[in-house]
């Protein structure tokens, strides 16, 4: 699967007028191998910690190309910073964002998915895609 994705990324980059470099591969690897939802600056910092010489501009440009071509998902979690996650190898999931800590919890609920489909059908539509984010606070005991 990894080789297939890399081949597709190489083609997309070439079509966009860019080369597939070790820096761009490092951006992809950072997203593909992470369970977290990092912003571009954190991705840049993580790559630098691995002793890969990369510019912020390359990270931002690569993220834009990967998002535009649906290799990664952009997340707006309400804090003014766009977060990213790889989406090719992950099953569908939604997000809960803790307003106190900023923690992002991934979840999947079949009842919620069925309810969305039922509501759309009731109004004469079918769900093609959706983004579901719950902004939550811990329950005080």
């Amino acid at each position: 699967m990894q080789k297939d994705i890399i081949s597709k990324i190489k083609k997309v980059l070439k079509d966009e007028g860019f080369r597939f470099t070790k820096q761009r591969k490092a951006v992809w690897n950072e997203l593909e191998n992470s369970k977290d939802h990092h912003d571009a600056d954190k991705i840049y910092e993580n790559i630098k910690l691995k002793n890969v010489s990369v510019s912020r501009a390359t990270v931002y440009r690569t993220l834009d190309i990967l998002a535009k071509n649906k290799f990664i998902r952009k997340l707006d979690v309400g804090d003014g910073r766009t977060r990213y996650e790889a989406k090719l190898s992950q099953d569908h999931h939604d997000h809960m964002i803790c307003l106190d800590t900023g923690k992002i919890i991934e979840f999947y609920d079949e009842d919620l998915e069925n309810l969305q489909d039922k509501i759309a059908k009731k109004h004469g539509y079918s769900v093609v895609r959706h983004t579901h984010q719950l902004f939550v606070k811990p329950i005080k005991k």
Side-chain angles (χ1 to χ4, degrees), residues 3 9 13 23 30-31 40-41 56 70 72-73 86 90 93 101 104 107-108 132 139:
K3 284 184 180 180
I9 291 172
L13 284 166
Q23 290 83 1
E30 189 62 33
L31 290 158
D41 288 332
R56 284 183 195 276
K70 303 191 184 334
I72 63 174
R73 181 179 293 117
Q90 297 182 9
H93 61 269
T101 65
I104 300 171
F107 72 94
Y108 175 82
H132 195 85
I139 297 172

Side-chain angles (χ1 to χ4, degrees), residues 3-141:
K3 284 184 180 180
D4 188 40
I5 293 169
I6 295 297
S7 296
K8 289 176 183 178
I9 291 172
K10 284 179 179 179
K11 182 184 180 331
V12 161
L13 284 166
K14 185 177 180 186
D15 292 348
E16 296 271 347
F18 296 100
R19 292 180 304 120
F20 183 74
T21 61
K22 70 178 180 182
Q23 290 83 1
R24 291 195 175 94
K25 185 174 191 313
V27 172
W28 169 252
N29 288 342
E30 189 62 33
L31 290 158
E32 179 66 18
N33 298 323
S34 177
K35 297 276 187 209
D36 295 318
H37 303 80
H38 292 307
D39 66 10
D41 288 332
K42 184 64 175 168
I43 293 167
Y44 168 77
E45 290 168 13
N46 288 348
I47 293 170
K48 295 291 278 187
L49 287 173
K50 293 175 179 144
N51 294 319
V52 176
S53 178
V54 66
S55 70
R56 284 183 195 276
T58 295
V59 171
Y60 277 88
R61 207 171 305 126
T62 303
L63 290 170
D64 285 344
I65 292 167
L66 293 174
K68 174 181 166 186
N69 289 280
K70 303 191 184 334
F71 290 100
I72 63 174
R73 181 179 293 117
K74 286 182 171 186
L75 299 170
D76 177 357
V77 297
D79 65 357
R81 297 176 3 224
T82 300
R83 309 291 175 86
Y84 299 89
E85 67 179 353
K87 71 182 242 182
L88 290 181
S89 63
Q90 297 182 9
D91 292 329
H92 168 74
H93 61 269
D94 296 303
H95 298 95
M96 283 192 296
I97 299 99
C98 178
L99 295 173
D100 287 355
T101 65
K103 181 178 180 181
I104 300 171
I105 301 114
E106 295 179 352
F107 72 94
Y108 175 82
D109 186 286
E110 191 165 342
D111 292 336
L112 181 59
E113 299 297 318
N114 291 335
L115 181 59
Q116 292 169 155
D117 292 339
K118 181 180 172 184
I119 291 168
K121 187 175 181 179
K122 177 180 168 184
H123 292 278
Y125 295 93
S126 65
V127 176
V128 176
R129 67 180 176 274
H130 76 272
T131 302
H132 195 85
Q133 296 181 152
L134 302 174
F135 292 87
V136 298
K137 285 185 153 285
I139 297 172
K140 306 292 185 208
K141 293 183 180 182

